[in-house]
Amino acid sequence: MAVLAHAQRHRGPPEMRELFTVILSALLLLCPVALSFSTDSPPRSQPPPASSIPDLSLSSSPPTHRSTIFPGSAPVDTKDLATLVLQTGQRGPASAAIGRPACCTCRHGFAQAYAMDPLPASTGRANSGLLKLTCPHLVRAVDALEDEGGIDALNERVNISPLPGEEKGLNGDGKWLREAVSEAHQVHARVRREMLSSDEDVAFLQNKLGEEGSLFFLDSGVAGATGSQPPSNSAIDVKCLHAWLADMLFRKAGASAVGEEVAWELQQRGVDLTGTPTCRSACDPDWDGDRPNPPAPRNRQRLRSGKEVAR
């Protein structure tokens, strides 16, 4: 496919970008909102066979979590958690999920991303990422974007010098996006520190990760990226487009400029921002027909160890 548009220094008239932001912001405020993808764009690898998907049953009440304080989040209920298990084919994320976007759902009323407990008592694992994109259509669409060099292309735009007049322009290159990345990292680090401020949490992290590792963990940004305030002359790695899109679903267009860039690229690929008539079957716990398999896991380390599906 063609080289990504966001690898270019100019991406069309500013008025066009302004119009996109206004439309996207309006859609996020007027629930429901969804992003979907063309089924002609397959995921990088085949999804796990149906027989390997874990038992999707959940208890009658959600597990006990700390409260979500991530901006733009609302508490989850048992149906949200059942949807999350269906979307991912895994039980682990549902045991850590504590919030969903308050402003938007898909056209069928299901959450597309979840806020996660960074230290869920049920697993004993330290989760560096505070947000998880779960909508199967969105996940596959972003998978395809990443497979075609989307991360490197966005990194290039973030790390190049701005062109004249672009320093404060709508999602302009260079300085504007670099500041947006830094601001988002600081939001995620602040939320993580506030959620893990008790003496017990700090002691657990220090015992598990060591003093230096625990400080690194608490100060990490979006998707656990290194450092919430990197040196001004250091290269920035956006790391995961899924996490950035989830950030936009929670904090809305305008507040999450990098997530908005990902949404823009998806729309340029013909992604339907309202969902599709048939995507409900992947997320609805009450659906009594055939279901598609969830997207294939992409965490290479967990795939090698066989843990991803087991979760």
Side-chain angles (χ1 to χ4, degrees):
M1 299 180 75
V3 177
L4 294 173
H6 59 25
Q8 303 169 355
R9 296 291 294 271
H10 286 288
R11 305 195 325 154
E15 311 84 49
M16 186 178 194
R17 297 304 311 280
E18 282 187 25
L19 179 61
F20 169 74
T21 298
V22 170
I23 293 174
L24 185 58
S25 298
L27 287 172
L28 285 169
L29 289 173
L30 297 173
C31 300
V33 170
L35 298 174
S36 63
F37 76 109
S38 168
T39 53
D40 294 330
S41 300
R44 178 172 61 182
S45 56
Q46 293 298 317
S51 60
S52 68
I53 299 176
D55 179 10
L56 303 181
S57 61
L58 289 172
S59 62
S60 57
S61 60
T64 301
H65 295 299
R66 68 187 85 233
S67 299
T68 177
I69 59 171
F70 194 87
S73 63
V76 294
D77 58 26
T78 52
K79 189 167 184 178
D80 290 326
L81 299 181
T83 292
L84 174 55
V85 175
L86 288 171
Q87 290 173 331
T88 63
Q90 302 165 11
R91 288 169 293 188
S95 69
I98 56 176
R100 54 176 288 167
C103 71
C104 57
T105 65
C106 74
R107 65 159 66 185
H108 301 294
F110 302 108
Q112 297 168 286
Y114 288 84
M116 312 301 283
D117 188 335
L119 199 62
S122 59
T123 66
R125 295 179 63 246
N127 296 326
S128 58
L130 292 180
L131 303 179
K132 184 176 182 65
L133 186 71
T134 59
C135 167
H137 296 299
L138 282 179
V139 169
R140 289 191 175 103
V142 179
D143 283 354
L145 185 61
E146 287 189 344
D147 288 344
E148 293 180 25
I151 294 176
D152 290 340
L154 188 52
N155 279 337
E156 180 181 346
R157 290 194 58 229
V158 170
N159 288 293
I160 62 176
S161 298
L163 295 173
E166 287 187 333
E167 288 85 349
K168 295 182 180 180
L170 173 66
N171 295 350
D173 290 319
K175 183 178 179 181
W176 172 263
L177 281 177
R178 189 182 185 91
E179 290 178 349
V181 170
S182 178
E183 183 272 338
H185 284 340
Q186 291 177 50
V187 169
H188 283 240
R190 183 175 67 250
V191 169
R192 189 181 296 102
R193 278 190 168 276
E194 289 181 12
M195 293 182 71
L196 301 178
S197 60
S198 72
D199 292 340
E200 293 80 4
D201 288 334
V202 173
F204 179 87
L205 286 174
Q206 291 179 345
N207 181 61
K208 188 177 184 67
L209 305 175
E211 185 172 356
E212 183 176 351
S214 64
L215 292 175
F216 180 90
F217 175 81
L218 290 171
D219 285 335
S220 59
V222 179
T226 304
S228 59
Q229 293 181 297
S232 59
N233 61 346
S234 66
I236 290 178
D237 183 4
V238 296
K239 190 174 179 179
C240 176
L241 302 187
H242 301 78
W244 284 105
L245 185 57
D247 183 65
M248 192 205 72
L249 291 173
F250 276 89
R251 296 200 296 139
K252 306 179 185 178
S256 178
V258 182
E260 186 181 336
E261 291 293 316
V262 179
W264 168 266
E265 287 299 340
L266 294 179
Q267 186 174 14
Q268 299 313 296
R269 291 161 166 256
V271 169
D272 187 347
L273 297 180
T274 66
T276 68
T278 60
C279 63
R280 180 179 194 131
S281 60
C283 304
D284 188 353
D286 298 325
W287 184 264
D288 59 3
D290 294 335
R291 297 184 188 276
N293 284 328
R298 290 169 68 88
N299 185 312
R300 293 187 180 91
Q301 182 178 356
R302 285 191 164 275
L303 282 173
R304 284 196 297 269
S305 64
K307 292 181 180 178
E308 190 72 30
V309 172
R311 291 178 61 211

